[in-house]
Amino acid sequence: MTGVCGCCGALRPRYKRLVDNIFPEDPEDGLVKTNMEKLTFYALSAPEKLDRIGAYLSERLIRDVGRHRYGYVCIAMEALDQLLMACHCQSINLFVESFLKMVAKLLESEKSNLQILGTNSFVKFANIEEDTPSYHRSYDFFVSRFSEMCHSSHDELEIRTKIRMSGIKGLQGVVRKTVNDELQANIWDPQHMDKIVPSLLFNLQHAEEAESRSPSPLQATEKEKESPTELAERCLRELLGRAAYGNIKNAIKPVLIHLDNHSLWEPKTFAIRCFKIIMYSIQPQHSHLVIQQLLGHLDANSKSAATVRAGIVEVLSEAAVIAASGSVGPTVLEVFNTLLRQLRLSIDYELTGSYDCAVVSTKIIKEHEERMFQEAVIKTTGSFASTLPTYQRSEVMLFIMSKVPLPSLHHAIDAGKAGENRNRLTQIMLLKSLLQVSTGFQCSNMLTALPSSFLDRLLSAALMEDADLRLFVLEILISFIDRHGNRPKFSTISTINDISVLKLKVDKCSRQDTVFMKKHSQQLYRHIYLTSKEESNVQPHYEALYSMLALISIELANEEVVVDLIRLVLAVQEIAQINEDNLPVYNRCALYALGAAYLNLISQLTTVPAFCQHIHEVLETRQKEAPYLLPEDVFVEMPRLTKSLDHLVPEVFFRQSKISEVLGGSGYNSDRLSTPYIPQLTDEDRLSKRKSIGETISLQVEVESRNSPEKEERAPAEEITYETLKKAIVDSVAVEEQERERRRLVVEKFQKAPFEEIAAHCGARASLLQSKLNQIFEITIRPPPSPSGTITAAYGQPQNHSIPVYEMKFPDLCVY
């Protein structure tokens, strides 16, 4: 009886009969819609039967796959899809298990059309929002299989493209199904991210165009949407857009590993495109996490090829531009510390030719590649700084300046030839970085923009012997002072007749600027004066000096500053006129031309007619008698100079007495104008010229030897007569030679003498100085004797009583 019931279809369970009725005799006729509606109604009416319906459909599908009856397979999947879309009851979980089992069976098939069919069904399922959670469902197989499909290498291009697109859609479905459900498997685990992210990047690599697209793919054409590249980009954007704070690291790490494994940092185009997609897709407040990941990866690749490091730094630069203001995170200085550390390592690699000083490196280091990397680091430093607020940029500039090795009493630098090269390269690269950071820096208060600790170190570098370093310092100072964008208008030095055509933006000097100039003006003037005397100056140096003088006159000038600037420029003219430093003809002509251009500018800014007339007269005289003293003849590609400047007529010079007279009549301080400018040299100015600590110590020794307490003997006072003066003039050369020889002997003694001899010499001087100090202390501490003699105390011991100050009698010459 049991066998008879099994053979008779009328005696089978109703759900099986309803499932069998949806299949036509000919699979080409497709799903029987009326019977499918009956099956759906039955499933909705009796939801407890849904799991059995799913199991029976799964059984039929597996049987049809094995028999290669692919028409019935398609019908079964269509029926499953419709049941999924219609049923949202609590029993759907058991039905889903049967559904996923059937999808997995299709994905395991070697037939590409079955794989695509299974993927499409899974995508439809992924878009369904389930009413009840599932605690035991796993998608590990689907992640692995879809990732494998993304790397399909089918021989036919069309089929390969379809399989890859199906794989990407499947991964997108897995992400949508699991990313927001805490009860599902965590898709952000490294085991899943290490499969999903590389699969998407693999398809992005095969883009026809290497350039990055718009931040939003909504404008893409229909044709592009059908390509695996565009689909992978959309999927990657969706994945990153759903990433929370704690998941960013797991999502970014596979990107870095993929770029390393496929050597994609060197062309850097694809790497930049990837991180543009990342930066535009993640939430803005998480941008600094991406940057920290890149910085850590840069440190991990510190001994990789320069092209690889340069690619990482270029990506950093692009990411910083996209990041919102302040997104670098709380450790701003750590970011710049990492970049500067990489810069110093690159300099060491360039000089040593090895990534490891202790072991002979098998890698060949190319200098031009290291230079390319250094320029990339400098550019990135500027990109980072441009995203920071003003107060943080000030801190960054102080931080960079503190890293610049400068020869001073308190800052050691490397000695020797190799040390000099390392110091010079480090100084140049750090000052370049500082220039990048200061470019575009806007600050209303110069006291906060240029604090003393920063300005002192910066101006110390302005007097270095290296011409490139001096030029960088001048450019940095100009970028600070120029707050209204007037610098391009002074890019060339000329004596323009009407400065109104320049359309200068001039504001009244603020109180903060006045305070800044009172505090630091003499320091700035001194360094401008000393920098102008350097023999190694070329045209860019004079252009920078002119720009700096002009910008100070526009941005920071009041009447007192204008007077001092005029005195300074007249002193620069005197440098060229007297020529104590034996400057070449070009340098002297350049100084004359610099003074002419600036005085022409300042005369028009002050609008004093008599002053303008005097400047105009001198310029006309020069045009006729000595055109080689004008900027139009000096600051050109082929300067038109004279052989000698010894026979210049007085009319070609700007006269201090005349300028003092004409400006004094307009309310300017004529006494100050008539006083020649003389810079006050400091120890820092002299030390900045030194190239090594050995020379710095020698200078200290020289100063100490001059003030040594051993030199107690003083020459007797000599009556000054005509013969004395004549003898002094005649013997001045000999005296200078003796003084130079004495200095040389002192320096040689402290450089070559044994340590014991120097220690004994210093010890003797110290003991002699101590004895003198003891004598002074005894004289000052011991009270004067009482006029009535000594008074004997009760114990019989003499006791001195000092006279009060108001009772003491002083000589008349000591009383004020």
Side-chain angles (χ1 to χ4, degrees):
M1 189 68 182
T2 304
V4 174
C5 292
C7 295
C8 298
L11 300 177
R12 301 178 67 192
R14 185 181 179 189
Y15 75 90
K16 287 189 177 182
R17 285 185 279 119
L18 290 173
V19 170
D20 291 337
N21 291 337
I22 67 173
F23 292 93
E25 294 183 2
D26 186 359
E28 293 183 359
D29 294 339
L31 182 68
V32 180
K33 294 183 179 180
T34 55
N35 292 336
M36 185 64 212
E37 291 175 358
K38 294 177 182 179
L39 177 62
T40 305
F41 179 77
Y42 177 76
L44 292 172
S45 303
E48 68 277 3
K49 301 291 185 180
L50 190 60
D51 58 330
R52 298 183 184 182
I53 295 173
Y56 184 61
L57 272 172
S58 175
E59 179 185 341
R60 286 204 55 153
L61 183 138
I62 293 173
R63 185 174 68 238
D64 291 336
V65 169
R67 295 176 179 176
H68 304 288
R69 298 163 63 178
Y70 299 125
Y72 289 121
V73 171
C74 295
I75 292 173
M77 291 307 301
E78 185 179 353
L80 283 169
D81 294 342
Q82 291 191 23
L83 287 173
L84 275 174
M85 298 299 292
C87 302
H88 294 281
C89 59
Q90 293 182 354
S91 303
I92 197 173
N93 279 332
L94 296 177
F95 177 73
V96 169
E97 294 301 322
S98 300
F99 169 79
L100 293 179
K101 183 179 178 181
M102 287 184 280
V103 171
K105 183 67 177 178
L106 294 179
L107 293 177
E108 289 175 350
S109 172
E110 296 181 357
K111 297 290 184 178
S112 58
N113 55 347
L114 294 183
Q115 296 175 12
I116 296 171
L117 178 64
T119 302
N120 293 336
S121 295
F122 183 84
V123 171
K124 293 176 183 178
F125 160 71
N127 292 327
I128 297 174
E129 294 184 6
E130 299 183 49
D131 296 334
T132 56
S134 174
Y135 298 93
H136 58 279
R137 195 179 301 163
S138 174
Y139 294 96
D140 293 356
F141 167 78
F142 295 99
V143 172
S144 300
R145 183 57 184 152
F146 288 139
S147 299
E148 184 180 348
M149 292 170 64
C150 289
H151 293 81
S152 173
S153 57
H154 198 279
D155 295 336
E156 296 185 23
L157 175 61
E158 185 177 354
I159 296 178
R160 181 169 69 241
T161 301
K162 289 181 179 180
I163 294 176
R164 287 185 179 182
M165 289 186 67
S166 296
I168 297 170
K169 290 177 182 178
L171 291 177
Q172 191 176 29
V174 172
V175 171
R176 288 177 179 176
K177 198 65 180 174
T178 60
V179 73
N180 292 325
D181 191 349
E182 295 180 358
L183 298 175
Q184 302 284 1
N186 190 0
I187 200 67
W188 300 107
D189 286 343
Q191 59 179 345
H192 299 310
M193 285 290 104
D194 291 345
K195 297 175 183 177
I196 295 174
V197 174
S199 301
L200 299 177
L201 295 179
F202 175 78
N203 285 276
L204 274 175
Q205 277 180 253
H206 295 78
E208 295 179 359
E209 297 178 359
E211 295 182 359
S212 177
R213 302 181 190 274
S214 171
S216 174
L218 298 177
Q219 299 176 353
T221 63
E222 292 297 326
K223 184 177 180 180
E224 287 175 331
K225 286 184 179 180
E226 294 301 319
S227 69
T229 300
E230 186 64 28
L231 190 60
E233 182 176 335
R234 290 207 309 273
C235 184
L236 182 61
R237 290 181 186 276
E238 182 178 347
L239 175 69
L240 295 169
R242 296 171 181 267
Y245 181 87
N247 302 326
I248 294 292
K249 182 177 180 180
N250 290 342
I252 301 302
K253 188 176 179 180
V255 178
L256 300 174
I257 295 174
H258 181 84
L259 295 175
D260 286 341
N261 293 339
H262 294 269
S263 302
L264 295 173
W265 293 110
E266 296 182 25
K268 76 190 175 185
T269 306
F270 178 73
I272 291 175
R273 181 187 179 197
C274 286
F275 276 89
K276 279 187 175 182
I277 293 173
I278 292 171
M279 297 304 292
Y280 281 124
S281 301
I282 62 174
Q283 300 176 38
Q285 64 268 27
H286 300 159
S287 297
H288 69 278
L289 295 176
V290 180
I291 292 173
Q292 288 178 359
Q293 286 280 95
L294 283 168
L295 287 169
H297 196 66
L298 179 61
D299 277 340
N301 286 272
S302 59
K303 292 187 178 181
S304 299
T307 51
V308 173
R309 286 177 282 131
I312 299 174
V313 170
E314 286 283 350
V315 171
L316 267 170
S317 177
E318 295 291 339
V321 172
I322 298 171
S325 178
S327 66
V328 178
T331 57
V332 175
L333 292 182
E334 186 59 31
V335 172
F336 289 91
N337 191 34
T338 301
L339 292 174
L340 297 184
R341 181 170 64 249
Q342 292 295 327
L343 198 59
R344 293 187 73 103
L345 284 174
S346 176
I347 292 172
D348 289 339
Y349 295 159
E350 180 183 349
L351 293 175
T352 61
S354 171
Y355 291 118
D356 191 351
C357 298
V359 182
V360 177
S361 178
T362 56
K363 297 180 180 179
I364 300 176
I365 295 180
K366 299 178 181 179
E367 287 189 13
H368 72 278
E369 291 182 353
E370 290 296 337
R371 290 291 176 90
M372 178 188 66
F373 169 72
Q374 293 160 14
E375 294 296 331
V377 171
I378 292 170
K379 176 186 173 185
T380 304
T381 304
S383 298
F384 270 115
S386 64
T387 66
L388 298 177
T390 302
Y391 73 94
Q392 282 189 327
R393 288 183 75 174
S394 299
E395 291 179 0
V396 168
M397 288 185 284
L398 283 171
F399 179 75
I400 295 176
M401 196 65 222
S402 67
K403 299 289 185 181
V404 179
L406 296 174
S408 65
L409 293 173
H410 309 290
H411 196 286
I413 61 175
D414 299 331
K417 186 66 176 177
E420 288 180 11
N421 291 336
R422 181 176 291 104
N423 290 331
R424 181 181 180 277
L425 284 175
T426 304
Q427 289 163 350
I428 288 177
M429 292 304 166
L430 290 179
L431 288 177
K432 274 187 177 181
S433 302
L434 187 58
L435 180 60
Q436 281 284 337
V437 174
S438 63
T439 301
F441 180 72
Q442 296 290 336
C443 185
S444 58
N445 191 345
M446 292 296 293
L447 282 173
T448 57
L450 291 172
S452 298
S453 57
F454 176 81
L455 189 60
D456 291 344
R457 290 186 60 81
L458 184 61
L459 292 179
S460 176
L463 298 178
M464 299 290 289
E465 290 185 349
D466 193 288
D468 294 335
L469 294 179
R470 296 199 306 273
L471 185 58
F472 282 130
V473 173
L474 290 173
E475 294 290 346
I476 291 168
L477 286 171
I478 288 170
S479 66
F480 278 109
I481 297 172
D482 182 23
R483 292 170 294 181
H484 293 88
N486 290 317
R487 169 64 199 280
K489 300 166 186 177
F490 301 115
S491 57
T492 58
I493 308 178
S494 62
T495 53
I496 187 170
N497 294 326
D498 185 8
I499 63 170
S500 62
V501 299
L502 297 178
K503 297 180 180 179
L504 299 175
K505 298 177 182 177
V506 183
D507 282 345
K508 186 178 180 181
C509 183
S510 64
R511 180 178 176 276
Q512 293 89 346
D513 294 341
T514 303
V515 173
F516 172 80
M517 290 305 291
K518 283 185 177 179
K519 187 175 181 180
H520 297 295
S521 61
Q522 295 304 318
Q523 196 177 6
L524 288 172
Y525 301 153
R526 180 173 67 250
H527 284 78
I528 292 173
Y529 178 84
L530 296 176
T531 303
S532 65
K533 296 172 64 175
E534 294 293 338
E535 185 176 343
S536 57
N537 287 343
V538 290
Q539 181 173 337
H541 292 84
Y542 296 112
E543 290 175 347
L545 286 170
Y546 173 68
S547 296
M548 190 170 177
L549 289 169
L551 290 171
I552 292 176
S553 305
I554 293 173
E555 299 280 354
L556 306 172
N558 51 27
E559 288 189 3
E560 182 179 347
V561 173
V562 169
V563 168
D564 286 342
L565 288 173
I566 293 173
R567 292 173 58 225
L568 172 62
V569 172
L570 292 174
V572 170
Q573 176 185 257
E574 190 176 358
I575 293 174
Q577 191 173 354
I578 299 176
N579 197 23
E580 290 181 347
D581 299 310
N582 295 321
L583 295 175
V585 173
Y586 173 79
N587 296 63
R588 295 175 66 187
C589 290
L591 292 179
Y592 282 125
L594 173 65
Y598 175 74
L599 290 175
N600 174 66
L601 173 69
I602 197 67
S603 65
Q604 297 185 55
L605 288 175
T606 55
T607 63
V608 177
F611 184 31
C612 294
Q613 182 180 357
H614 172 66
I615 301 300
H616 185 66
E617 289 174 356
V618 175
L619 292 178
E620 282 189 343
T621 305
R622 287 190 180 186
Q623 189 66 44
K624 296 177 182 177
E625 304 290 339
Y628 44 82
L629 303 184
L630 294 174
E632 287 77 10
D633 279 29
V634 177
F635 301 116
V636 290
E637 186 175 352
M638 297 293 292
R640 297 179 287 274
L641 307 177
T642 183
K643 294 182 179 180
S644 175
L645 297 174
D646 297 334
H647 304 289
L648 295 175
V649 295
E651 288 77 12
V652 300
F653 300 122
F654 299 101
R655 289 176 294 157
Q656 189 156 7
S657 58
K658 179 66 175 178
I659 294 175
S660 174
E661 176 186 344
V662 296
L663 288 180
S666 298
Y668 289 87
N669 190 338
S670 59
D671 293 337
R672 190 174 182 85
L673 271 169
S674 58
T675 305
Y677 172 78
I678 300 175
Q680 299 175 355
L681 298 181
T682 63
D683 288 340
E684 188 66 27
D685 297 332
R686 289 187 284 267
L687 289 174
S688 61
K689 290 281 189 180
R690 305 292 169 174
K691 292 183 179 179
S692 67
I693 289 300
E695 296 183 20
T696 302
I697 295 174
S698 302
L699 181 64
Q700 292 176 257
V701 169
E702 180 183 339
V703 174
E704 290 178 0
S705 64
R706 279 188 169 186
N707 301 327
S708 173
E710 293 178 354
K711 293 194 174 183
E712 294 182 347
E713 299 181 2
R714 303 296 181 195
E718 184 179 359
E719 183 181 358
I720 299 176
T721 62
Y722 171 77
E723 293 297 330
T724 306
L725 295 173
K726 182 178 179 181
K727 182 179 179 181
I729 295 172
V730 172
D731 296 342
S732 60
V733 177
V735 172
E736 289 180 1
E737 290 293 335
Q738 292 175 3
E739 180 70 13
R740 192 178 296 109
E741 180 65 18
R742 186 189 67 78
R743 291 182 182 180
R744 189 188 65 79
L745 291 175
V746 170
V747 172
E748 184 177 352
K749 176 181 178 181
F750 277 85
Q751 286 181 339
K752 298 181 179 180
F755 174 76
E756 293 79 7
E757 180 180 341
I758 296 176
H761 175 68
C762 295
R765 289 194 303 165
S767 60
L768 183 60
L769 177 61
Q770 186 63 42
S771 64
K772 292 294 183 183
L773 289 174
N774 292 336
Q775 294 177 12
I776 294 172
F777 292 151
E778 289 176 3
I779 295 172
T780 55
I781 296 174
R782 185 174 58 198
S786 173
S788 58
T790 59
I791 301 175
T792 305
Y795 296 99
Q797 295 179 349
Q799 189 175 20
N800 291 331
H801 282 228
S802 60
I803 302 174
V805 176
Y806 56 83
E807 293 184 2
M808 295 177 65
K809 292 184 178 181
F810 294 94
D812 294 338
L813 293 176
C814 297
V815 180
Y816 179 72

